[in-house]
Amino acid sequence: MSQQTAESAPPDARTLRRVVGAGFLGTTVEYYDFFIYGTAAALVFPKVFFPTLGDAASVAASFATFAVAFVARPVGGLVFGQIGDRVGRKTTLVATLLIMGVSTVLIGLLPSGDSIGALAPALLIALRFCQGLAVGGEWSSAALFVGEYAPPEKRGLYALSPTLGTSAGILLATLAFLGTGWSMSSASFLAWGWRIPFLLSSVLVIVGMWVRLHIADTPVFLAAVARAEESSRRRAPLAELLRQQWRETLLAAGSVMMWISFFYIGSVYMTNYGTGTLGFSRNTMLSVNMVAIVANIIGSVVGARLSDRFGRRTVMIGASLFAVPWAFVLFLLADTGNLFLLALGISVALFFVGTASGTTTAFLPEIFRTSYRSTATGVSYNLGSLVGGAVPPIVAAPLLAAYGSLALGTMLALLAAVSALCAFRLQETRGRSLHEHEEPMAPASPRAGAPAAG
């Protein structure tokens, strides 16, 4: 079969179903593992791994270990991105899932701070760093894998599968902690029950590995490798990215900061805020999270469908602009102490998160050239995650103590405004053929908005 035929022939329906399933199931497992840590960091780890610190200090230390993963994520995005560009997209999907699964199970087996002292938090940080490396390569690799298989006119819809996998992973993580919490006393949960969700990860990883090992690499990648070998110009992906599209990498990173920051404040920090500041029970806040995750899933579907119809850039800008005022409304509703209003505030915030994240999975891969697309997608996404995901939860408690919840709203609003500006400076990519896109994209002019030529 000729290269041209291979590039033009769309994959059959069965292949697409398997690809979508691999993107969904694998990402579900990865983010289940990643977010059970976040829930535990909010509810358990301050007492288990930092028992000698005061309440405020132990919470800050726990969220600092949570943030370690975000430092590791750009490294993981860079390492696995280059593996994806040099060896193949499938290789990264298998490697990241295996690293994440092993790290998560080991956290579930880790002795407490009372047992082994300072060694416990040190090992916890090391394992969390490994989780960050894995998830740094996972999201971008899964989005790229599905996107390169999907038909251009429906890429937003097909590329939604990793985003839905992320939401499903969070939902499973919440259910795991909620079920464990309801089935035992608080003392038992703190002593050993919190370990169960971590150990259950082993079952999910086996399922995810089986699915990912039974799929082939993307036709786009295979065709790009063939072209590079024929022309004898296999270049270093990172060097080529920095030479060709470093501005677009920074803009793409900025465009995702809104939904990443809103997500981690809404789904992780607000759990601690609701239990510690507002006085709600652990199970009540986990139930609120479940409602908000459903809103996030709905928002993801809406964002993906709108991006196929009106454009990726348009949806990203719109979601970020709507999020600016809601950053203040979120804490105004929470501070009423009314459970319904609290749930409403978090649910709407996560709906905006879903609208933008459901668009991002198609948007980011479409910005970059095939020869370094995996590296560029991983680096840009994880740089945005470092700023939007690591910083807000760490500084939230000191900001709250010093200036009140208005300061938290201001921080989120500023991040949303920056995301809107960065998305505005990028070109529209809807309908672009990833096979044909071999010319770097330039930043948009202030009036740019039409789809770029493939």
Side-chain angles (χ1 to χ4, degrees):
M1 179 180 292
S2 69
Q3 179 180 309
Q4 183 179 1
T5 304
E7 289 189 7
S8 59
D12 58 65
R14 183 186 178 196
T15 300
L16 278 175
R17 285 195 298 269
R18 293 176 65 182
V19 167
V20 169
F24 174 79
L25 290 174
T27 309
T28 297
V29 176
E30 289 262 10
Y31 278 86
Y32 167 85
D33 289 357
F34 194 71
F35 284 105
I36 54 175
Y37 190 103
T39 304
L43 299 176
V44 178
F45 286 173
K47 296 179 181 178
V48 172
F49 292 105
F50 304 99
T52 60
L53 302 180
D55 290 341
S58 64
V59 170
S62 181
F63 278 119
T65 68
F66 177 76
V68 165
F70 292 93
V71 177
R73 282 175 74 156
V75 180
L78 179 60
V79 170
F80 290 110
Q82 294 201 85
I83 292 174
D85 284 325
R86 288 178 174 272
V87 182
R89 319 308 198 197
K90 176 182 174 178
T91 302
T92 62
L93 294 178
V94 173
T96 56
L97 184 59
L98 184 60
I99 293 171
M100 176 64 83
V102 172
S103 302
T104 302
V105 171
L106 289 177
I107 290 173
L109 298 173
L110 196 61
S112 67
D114 287 331
S115 300
I116 59 174
L119 184 60
L123 291 173
L124 181 67
I125 290 170
L127 292 172
R128 182 58 175 172
F129 189 86
C130 291
Q131 280 194 322
L133 288 176
V135 84
E138 165 61 29
W139 185 94
S140 55
S141 298
L144 185 58
F145 191 83
V146 178
E148 287 188 340
Y149 263 105
E153 69 277 6
K154 293 183 178 180
R155 188 174 293 127
L157 181 61
Y158 278 97
L160 178 62
S161 60
T163 300
L164 292 180
T166 302
S167 299
I170 302 163
L171 188 62
L172 286 177
T174 305
L175 283 171
F177 272 101
L178 192 58
T180 305
W182 279 112
S183 63
M184 61 184 65
S185 66
S186 296
S188 296
F189 179 80
L190 188 63
W192 58 270
W194 66 269
R195 299 179 184 273
I196 294 175
F198 287 85
L199 300 179
L200 285 176
S201 169
S202 59
V203 178
L204 298 176
V205 169
I206 292 172
V207 175
M209 287 291 289
W210 184 86
V211 171
R212 288 190 165 179
L213 285 171
H214 286 79
I215 52 176
D217 224 319
T218 72
V220 172
F221 172 75
L222 297 176
V225 169
R227 284 195 301 269
E229 289 176 348
E230 289 175 4
S231 62
S232 301
R233 61 179 188 93
R234 292 282 284 168
R235 299 172 180 171
L238 180 60
E240 195 174 358
L241 169 64
L242 294 177
R243 183 172 61 251
Q244 300 278 9
Q245 289 187 274
W246 65 270
R247 292 182 182 85
E248 290 79 4
T249 302
L250 294 178
L251 290 173
S255 72
V256 303
M257 288 195 306
M258 179 282 288
W259 67 262
I260 292 174
S261 61
F262 270 67
F263 179 82
Y264 284 103
I265 288 294
S267 65
V268 176
Y269 176 76
M270 290 302 291
T271 301
N272 181 270
Y273 188 76
T275 55
T277 302
L278 302 179
F280 293 111
S281 69
R282 178 184 69 239
N283 289 336
T284 296
M285 287 307 302
L286 290 174
S287 298
V288 168
N289 279 352
M290 288 187 62
V291 174
I293 291 166
V294 173
N296 175 255
I297 293 172
I298 295 172
S300 298
V301 176
V302 170
R305 297 302 296 267
L306 289 177
S307 77
D308 276 337
R309 183 171 182 181
F310 299 108
R312 326 292 189 210
R313 176 175 172 267
T314 301
V315 176
M316 295 288 286
I317 294 171
S320 296
L321 290 178
F322 276 113
V324 171
W326 198 259
F328 300 100
V329 174
L330 170 61
F331 287 97
L332 288 175
L333 294 177
D335 289 342
T336 65
N338 182 285
L339 182 61
F340 173 79
L341 294 179
L342 172 64
L344 176 64
I346 297 175
S347 296
V348 173
L350 263 63
F351 178 85
F352 290 140
V353 167
T355 304
S357 64
T359 306
T360 302
T361 46
F363 188 38
L364 260 57
E366 290 172 338
I367 294 172
F368 303 104
R369 290 180 58 175
T370 303
S371 57
Y372 51 76
R373 184 174 293 135
S374 180
T375 301
T377 304
V379 169
S380 59
Y381 173 70
N382 288 295
L383 282 177
S385 296
L386 177 62
V387 178
V391 176
I394 291 178
V395 304
L399 281 178
L400 180 69
Y403 305 106
S405 58
L406 179 62
L408 300 182
T410 302
M411 173 184 67
L412 291 179
L414 288 173
L415 288 171
V418 170
S419 288
L421 179 61
C422 289
F424 179 74
R425 293 295 302 164
L426 288 165
Q427 286 186 1
E428 181 55 68
T429 63
R430 175 173 61 99
R432 179 181 296 277
S433 170
L434 298 185
H435 280 294
E436 298 169 355
H437 180 35
E438 290 302 322
E439 291 303 321
M441 292 176 61
S445 66
R447 296 184 180 181

